[in-house]
Amino acid sequence: MAKVGLVALIDMDGTLCDYQGALMRDLETFGGPPIRRWVATTTAHRGCARETVIRRQPGWWRSLPRLQLGFDVLAELQALRFEIHVLTKGPVGTPSAWTEKLEWCQQHLPGVPVTITMDKGLVYGKVLVDDWPPYVERWLEWRPRGLVILPAQPWNVGFSHPNAIRYDGHNLGEIRAALRRLCELE
């Protein structure tokens, strides 16, 4: 049973799901000029015709592969009896993704509540696990004592905040210690 008040929010794309790997794999099938891996992570790239076609394919979001870094952190949260909630942003131009994200969670995380939102900063939690620095910053604006864990991605290299820890697969002890400190405050 979860501890009252210890709510942990965990993102999907780039955290629990390998959105980027699936997108790059599918972009390569289109041919044309090569796309460097980091290009698809920029907001300027969002909306290119090839990406839009891929993201709108029925079943694409539902079939995203799991990302181990996110599941490592999820296991720690569960071991410490945090109340887990998936918190994911709903893509504006792909309404079908909202349904498929929910279906993905029902398959991979049965029983875990899911919130699909346009603004993660509005959602309460003690912990946010998210790879995307702009969402992290927005959430921390309203939770100055909150803890953020960022699964390592190329787009969050160098991100720094006193309440944020970047998890690269080798510092699980640091993550565990930070979560335990948070539990002791409750």
Side-chain angles (χ1 to χ4, degrees):
M1 176 163 215
K3 295 179 183 177
V4 175
L6 283 177
V7 175
L9 308 169
I10 189 160
D11 173 50
M12 285 183 66
D13 308 327
T15 300
L16 290 171
C17 306
D18 190 7
Y19 167 91
Q20 196 63 29
L23 181 62
M24 294 310 299
R25 175 199 66 217
D26 293 345
L27 280 169
E28 288 173 7
T29 66
F30 272 83
I35 298 174
R36 288 180 284 165
R37 185 167 184 82
W38 63 269
V39 172
T41 66
T42 66
T43 55
H45 180 71
R46 296 246 181 254
C48 86
R50 292 186 286 176
E51 182 176 343
T52 300
V53 168
I54 289 166
R55 292 165 32 114
R56 289 186 177 168
Q57 290 177 24
W60 190 82
W61 294 88
R62 188 181 326 111
S63 64
L64 289 173
R66 290 168 50 134
L67 196 58
Q68 190 57 49
L69 289 177
F71 277 87
D72 290 350
V73 176
L74 175 64
E76 290 301 318
L77 292 164
Q78 290 171 325
L80 292 168
R81 298 183 19 228
F82 276 80
E83 181 181 334
I84 309 295
H85 291 255
V86 171
L87 177 64
T88 187
K89 185 170 185 312
V92 176
T94 314
S96 61
W98 295 52
T99 300
E100 291 191 19
K101 284 181 169 224
L102 176 61
E103 291 169 342
W104 189 97
C105 290
Q106 290 172 332
Q107 178 184 353
H108 295 275
L109 303 166
V112 173
V114 178
T115 299
I116 303 175
T117 185
M118 299 299 296
D119 185 351
K120 291 183 180 185
L122 300 176
V123 182
Y124 170 79
K126 296 272 186 184
V127 176
L128 173 66
V129 184
D130 202 308
D131 64 298
W132 190 245
Y135 297 159
V136 166
E137 290 169 334
R138 172 75 175 130
W139 187 81
L140 283 168
E141 282 178 37
W142 298 101
R143 279 147 210 91
R145 295 182 316 231
L147 172 65
V148 174
I149 301 167
L150 292 101
Q153 295 289 0
W155 48 89
N156 61 33
V157 170
F159 177 79
S160 179
H161 188 282
N163 295 25
I165 304 169
R166 189 169 183 267
Y167 173 59
D168 63 8
H170 301 316
N171 59 330
L172 196 54
E174 180 184 7
I175 300 301
R176 187 176 297 128
L179 291 171
R180 284 188 177 146
R181 283 191 301 274
L182 194 59
C183 289
E184 290 169 5
L185 297 175
E186 280 301 307

